[in-house]
Amino acid sequence: WGKQLIKPTNLLVTHPDVRTHIRAAPERTNLIQNGMGWLPLLWIVVTLLVFLLFVAQMYPVYYDHYRIKNSFNVMVGQPDSLSSGRKHAVGQLRKIMTLDDVGDVVDVDQALTLKRGKDGVKSVEFNYQRTVPIVYNLSILVNFQMHHLVGSE
């Protein structure tokens, strides 16, 4: 009884069941893709690899900055480190950064700036830059700035 309903014709029959569609007009069957092709998959894989390369190159820079920031906060938190002047502050920060194993990352003499304000207010700034090579001649310049006010206004 079911064979009487489906008659083979040369016309493309639209039917919800794909198998019936193929049986009804096998010579005019359009293949239906059931998944992702290799080109979009390749695009996704390449994009993920580029992103992972970027993260792998940038992670050490930001981890070093985290440790330098902790060293800077420890130095600012010590009461005697800023009262004796810039030379003493540079020495203290070098000692702290050596303990944190980031002493060779930044030149403390160029990065540290102490400024005196009105009524004994001090401003401590620590600014430095890092250049991260990505591939070939492509590099990223990262600028870090830390600022801390010491005293009362």
Side-chain angles (χ1 to χ4, degrees):
W1 195 84
K3 290 183 180 182
Q4 294 174 354
L5 292 177
I6 301 173
K7 296 178 183 177
T9 63
N10 288 338
L11 299 175
L12 187 62
V13 178
T14 56
H15 194 275
D17 188 7
V18 175
R19 292 169 294 186
T20 307
H21 175 80
I22 292 171
R23 274 189 253 124
E27 67 278 353
R28 294 187 135 200
T29 303
N30 293 332
L31 296 176
I32 299 172
Q33 185 174 347
N34 289 327
M36 183 185 312
W38 65 272
L39 196 58
L41 181 65
L42 182 66
W43 175 257
I44 290 171
V45 168
V46 167
T47 303
L48 285 176
L49 286 176
V50 167
F51 178 75
L52 289 176
L53 172 73
F54 181 75
V55 168
Q57 293 291 330
M58 295 302 291
Y59 177 76
V61 173
Y62 280 99
Y63 183 66
D64 287 343
H65 174 67
Y66 170 74
R67 295 187 306 168
I68 290 171
K69 187 175 180 180
N70 286 342
S71 300
F72 178 74
N73 289 336
V74 167
M75 190 252 329
V76 168
Q78 293 179 353
D80 63 337
S81 64
L82 300 174
S83 61
S84 300
R86 186 181 187 283
K87 187 174 182 180
H88 186 308
V90 167
Q92 283 292 108
L93 188 57
R94 276 195 185 138
K95 287 179 186 176
I96 296 168
M97 287 175 69
T98 303
L99 290 175
D100 288 342
D101 197 27
V102 287
D104 58 343
V105 174
V106 175
D107 185 17
V108 178
D109 282 332
Q110 293 180 354
L112 187 67
T113 306
L114 294 177
K115 295 180 182 177
R116 292 197 182 267
K118 297 178 182 177
D119 301 328
V121 175
K122 290 184 182 178
S123 171
V124 183
E125 294 179 2
F126 194 78
N127 302 322
Y128 66 99
Q129 296 178 347
R130 296 280 306 267
T131 303
V132 182
I134 301 297
V135 288
Y136 300 113
N137 63 350
L138 178 66
S139 299
I140 296 177
L141 178 66
V142 185
N143 187 23
F144 294 106
Q145 298 176 352
M146 292 177 273
H147 182 78
H148 187 77
L149 292 175
V150 181
S152 61
E153 295 184 2

